[in-house]
């Protein structure tokens, strides 16, 4: 694929161009597309063979695009959201000569640059203005989406980022290739990887990774659990089966999201297959336990409060009297893709061997036609990745179950935790019915749970922000001296200008790093209680503000270009 005239530029914060952190893509639409600047349904359909289904459906769902720039921006945004929706926005500036600027918010700078540049290439390819074969185009796209999946936040992080933007909670990605994100600033900051935070105990996280050790600790606490046995080979597993009797569950000792689990095993001939399936996910260490009848629930605790209780419902379809189970699943999957506003609540239901085996137990196949209104459960496993859903039932929770979950979080020393509990009646005490089956140190946060968790970490008064001062000046040293007494000297303060980065008077050394990155180096340090930034007009206008919000701004320059930005 050949090069084309387009310029990318990063604004690290609000600027005269856009009031948020954004990447700018500039090109001349007339030069690149000539008179074919509109986008048709036929143009969009041409992309279907090359795109992941969820991204193509999102693009195709738009009734129409104003012009090619509108399509390119929507396409770039969809590429960025290959893992989940990020709550980002974009703006487009146009003039009559065809000069076009797309301004797009981003999480990962590297991924966003790639998304914008790639979206422009795709538009040119669709319009036949970029040479190359379809095979070469397909191989290139495959590499693009692999890169985006690796760089972009996963579902829980995506929801956390989306809410933090809405609530004004500052956040900083530690590195372009890292999924570790710091929320809040300085003394109020917390590092997160998904829902797991720097305030969580490493020992607690280590314990919950081993389901067998977790089971032992829960029994020590006096809570109801299943009886478990470990097996490293098939003969040992078969010995445990004889001790426990049927029905059984065989699962890996250290996997998550239902991976490797075979539930409700009723026949000895299925043991071999279930053991091998589980062993793939935990280096051969397999748990054999009794199957517990009832509904599986996830209790989510954060900062000493139960913020969620969901029913982990296995995938199911309802018959209409004429469609096969296969057709019902395909229709359900299409609906989930079209309505992908809740992330992993809408994973597709796999049409796989595990489905065939489960239906066989009910004397059904994927070609069976259920009666109108007949509910067909498709798996014992309610894992999200195998199509399970998560309706909220927190209003039914018994107080004893709430206290049990809070106690488990305290003993594991985990701020945020998911407790999986099977019971026939969630409104009854655990003393009467139910078993704890697992604990998860980084639970997936569905629906509003990301918002509820972050509210517990960052109260509404300052949203995790520290006092911040911006000095717009051509002479940082003299301006700082002039403003002595106004710059939070009573606090442990970070200071950044074009040549200096220091915290509490201690200098840090940087070679060529941007003002924004040097500010971030202080804002992720929990010693920092306030920050002062001195920058000239060229820096601010050219690259945007290094922070999205300052408490105080002092204009110590005669450059009138800063007046509009200060007002903004």
């Amino acid at each position: 694929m050949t090069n084309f005239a387009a310029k990318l530029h990063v604004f690290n914060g609000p600027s005269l161009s856009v009031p948020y952190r954004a990447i700018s893509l500039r090109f001349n639409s007339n030069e690149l597309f000539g008179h074919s600047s509109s986008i048709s349904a036929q143009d969009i359909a041409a992309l279907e063979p090359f795109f992941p289904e969820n991204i193509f459906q999102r693009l195709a769902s738009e009734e129409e695009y104003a012009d090619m720039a509108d399509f390119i921006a929507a396409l770039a945004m969809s590429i960025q959201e290959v893992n989940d929706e990020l709550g980002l926005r974009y703006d487009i500036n146009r003039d009559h000569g065809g000069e076009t600027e797309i301004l797009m918010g981003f999480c990962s700078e590297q991924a966003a640059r790639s998304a914008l540049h790639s979206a422009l290439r795709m538009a040119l390819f669709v319009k036949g203005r970029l040479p190359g074969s379809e095979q070469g185009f397909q191989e290139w796209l495959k590499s693009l989406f692999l890169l985006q999946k690796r760089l972009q936040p996963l579902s829980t992080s995506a929801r956390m980022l989306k809410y933090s933007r809405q609530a004004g909670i500052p956040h900083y990605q530690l590195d372009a290739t890292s999924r570790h994100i710091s929320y809040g600033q300085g003394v109020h900051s917390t590092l997160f990887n998904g829902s797991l935070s720097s305030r969580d105990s490493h020992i607690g996280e280590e314990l919950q990774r081993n389901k067998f050790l977790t089971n032992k600790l829960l029994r020590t606490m006096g809570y109801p659990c299943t009886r478990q046995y470990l097996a490293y080979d098939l003969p040992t597993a078969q010995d445990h089966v004889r001790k426990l009797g049927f029905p059984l569950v065989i699962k890996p000792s250290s996997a998550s999201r239902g991976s490797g689990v075979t539930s409700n095993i009723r026949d000895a001939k299925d043991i071999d297959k279930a053991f091998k399936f589980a062993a793939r996910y935990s280096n051969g260490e397999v748990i054999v336990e009794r199957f517990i009848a009832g509904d599986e629930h996830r209790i989510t605790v954060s900062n000493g409060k139960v913020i969620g209780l969901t029913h982990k419902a296995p995938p199911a379809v309802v018959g209409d009297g004429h469609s096969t189970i296969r057709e019902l699943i395909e229709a359900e999957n299409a609906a989930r893709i079209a309505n992908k506003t809740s992330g992993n609540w809408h994973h597709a239901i796999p049409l796989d061997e595990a489905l065939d085996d489960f239906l066989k137990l009910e004397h059904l196949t994927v070609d069976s036609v259920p009666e109108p209104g007949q509910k067909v459960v498709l798996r014992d496993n309610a894992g999200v990745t195998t199509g399970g859903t998560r309706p909220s039932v927190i209003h039914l929770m018994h107080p004893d179950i709430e206290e049990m979950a809070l106690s488990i979080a305290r003993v594991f020393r985990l701020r945020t935790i998911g407790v999986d509990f099977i019971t026939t009646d969630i409104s009854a005490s655990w003393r009467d019915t139910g078993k704890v089956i697992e604990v998860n140190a980084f639970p997936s946060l569905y629906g509003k749970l990301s918002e509820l968790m972050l509210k517990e970490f960052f109260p509404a008064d300052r949203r995790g922000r520290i006092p911040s001062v911006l000095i717009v000046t051509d002479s940082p040293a003299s301006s700082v001296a002039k403003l002595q007494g106004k710059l939070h000297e009573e606090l442990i303060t970070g200071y950044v200008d074009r040549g200096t980065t220091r915290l509490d008077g201690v200098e840090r050394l940087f070679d060529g790093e941007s003002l924004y990155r040097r500010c971030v180096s202080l804002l992720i340090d929990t010693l920092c209680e306030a920050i002062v930034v001195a920058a000239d007009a060229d820096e601010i206008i050219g690259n945007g503000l290094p922070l999205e919000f300052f408490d105080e701004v002092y204009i110590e320059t005669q450059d009138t270009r800063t007046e509009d930005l200060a007002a903004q």
Side-chain angles (χ1 to χ4, degrees), residues 466-467 469-481 483-484 487 489 491-508 510 515 518-523 528-536:
I466 59 175
V469 177
L470 173 66
I471 307 170
V472 184
T473 177
D474 299 316
S475 179
S478 61
S479 294
V480 169
L483 294 168
Q484 201 75 28
L487 303 180
E489 289 90 343
L491 300 175
I492 298 174
T493 302
Y495 174 79
V496 182
D497 64 27
R498 60 176 171 250
T500 305
T501 306
R502 63 176 179 261
L503 177 60
D504 199 23
V506 179
E507 188 76 22
R508 299 190 178 184
F510 288 97
L515 192 72
R518 290 188 288 121
C519 286
V520 169
S521 77
L522 304 184
L523 293 170
C528 188
E529 296 177 342
I531 188 166
V532 175
V533 181
D536 61 27

Side-chain angles (χ1 to χ4, degrees), residues 270-321:
D270 297 321
I271 300 300
D272 185 4
K273 182 179 177 181
F275 179 86
K276 290 176 181 175
F277 181 47
R280 294 207 318 256
Y281 291 89
S282 57
N283 295 320
E285 189 174 81
V286 170
I287 290 173
V288 183
E289 66 183 15
R290 282 281 295 179
F291 172 78
I292 305 299
D295 295 324
E296 188 175 347
H297 298 79
R298 163 63 60 84
I299 310 159
T300 305
V301 175
S302 186
N303 279 343
K305 292 183 181 179
V306 172
I307 61 170
L309 172 59
T310 54
H311 174 208
K312 298 176 77 171
V317 291
V318 178
D320 57 14

Side-chain angles (χ1 to χ4, degrees), residues 87-303:
L88 299 167
R89 57 178 284 192
Y90 66 83
D91 290 276
I92 303 173
N93 299 321
R94 309 171 177 87
D95 70 16
H96 295 299
E99 290 298 324
T100 303
E101 181 182 32
I102 298 173
L103 293 146
M104 183 177 72
F106 64 95
C107 291
S108 163
E109 179 183 328
Q110 182 182 348
R113 283 177 177 274
S114 170
L116 272 170
H117 200 257
S118 300
L120 182 54
R121 280 177 176 252
M122 290 179 207
L124 289 165
F125 185 82
V126 165
K127 287 297 187 180
R129 301 181 75 85
L130 194 67
S133 67
E134 285 198 1
Q135 182 180 354
F137 185 64
Q138 195 159 23
E139 289 173 357
W140 168 69
L141 276 181
K142 184 178 178 181
S143 299
L144 167 68
F145 287 118
L146 284 174
L147 173 71
Q148 292 289 328
K149 281 179 174 289
R150 182 170 61 85
L151 294 180
Q152 296 291 7
L154 298 176
S155 292
T156 291
S157 293
R159 295 187 195 104
M160 291 170 63
L161 287 166
K162 187 175 181 179
Y163 173 70
S164 69
R165 289 189 191 92
Q166 295 168 356
I169 299 170
H171 52 270
Y172 310 97
Q173 189 176 19
L174 298 194
D175 180 77
T177 59
S178 171
R179 289 193 170 122
H180 295 82
I181 298 166
S182 180
Y183 292 81
Q185 296 173 336
V187 68
H188 303 307
S189 64
T190 301
L191 287 173
F192 283 88
N193 180 6
S195 58
L196 184 70
S197 83
S198 52
R199 303 191 200 183
D200 289 313
S201 157
H202 174 70
I203 297 295
E205 190 274 330
E206 193 177 59
L207 275 170
Q208 65 80 42
R209 261 188 277 141
N210 189 306
K211 300 176 196 292
F212 189 69
L213 290 178
T214 294
N215 181 274
K216 281 192 167 187
L217 181 52
L218 292 170
R219 295 175 77 84
T220 299
M221 294 176 68
Y223 291 124
C225 303
T226 58
R227 178 69 66 183
Q228 293 184 341
Y229 293 97
L230 272 183
Y232 295 91
D233 54 55
L234 184 58
T236 305
Q238 290 168 333
D239 287 342
H240 296 328
V241 168
R242 285 189 282 272
K243 282 183 281 189
L244 289 169
F246 293 101
L248 290 165
V249 175
I250 294 181
K251 62 186 183 183
S253 65
S254 58
S256 61
R257 293 179 172 240
S259 300
V261 177
T262 305
S263 186
N264 200 12
I265 302 168
R266 308 175 195 176
D267 196 307
K269 66 179 174 56
D270 297 321
I271 300 300
D272 185 4
K273 182 179 177 181
F275 179 86
K276 290 176 181 175
F277 181 47
R280 294 207 318 256
Y281 291 89
S282 57
N283 295 320
E285 189 174 81
V286 170
I287 290 173
V288 183
E289 66 183 15
R290 282 281 295 179
F291 172 78
I292 305 299
D295 295 324
E296 188 175 347
H297 298 79
R298 163 63 60 84
I299 310 159
T300 305
V301 175
S302 186
N303 279 343

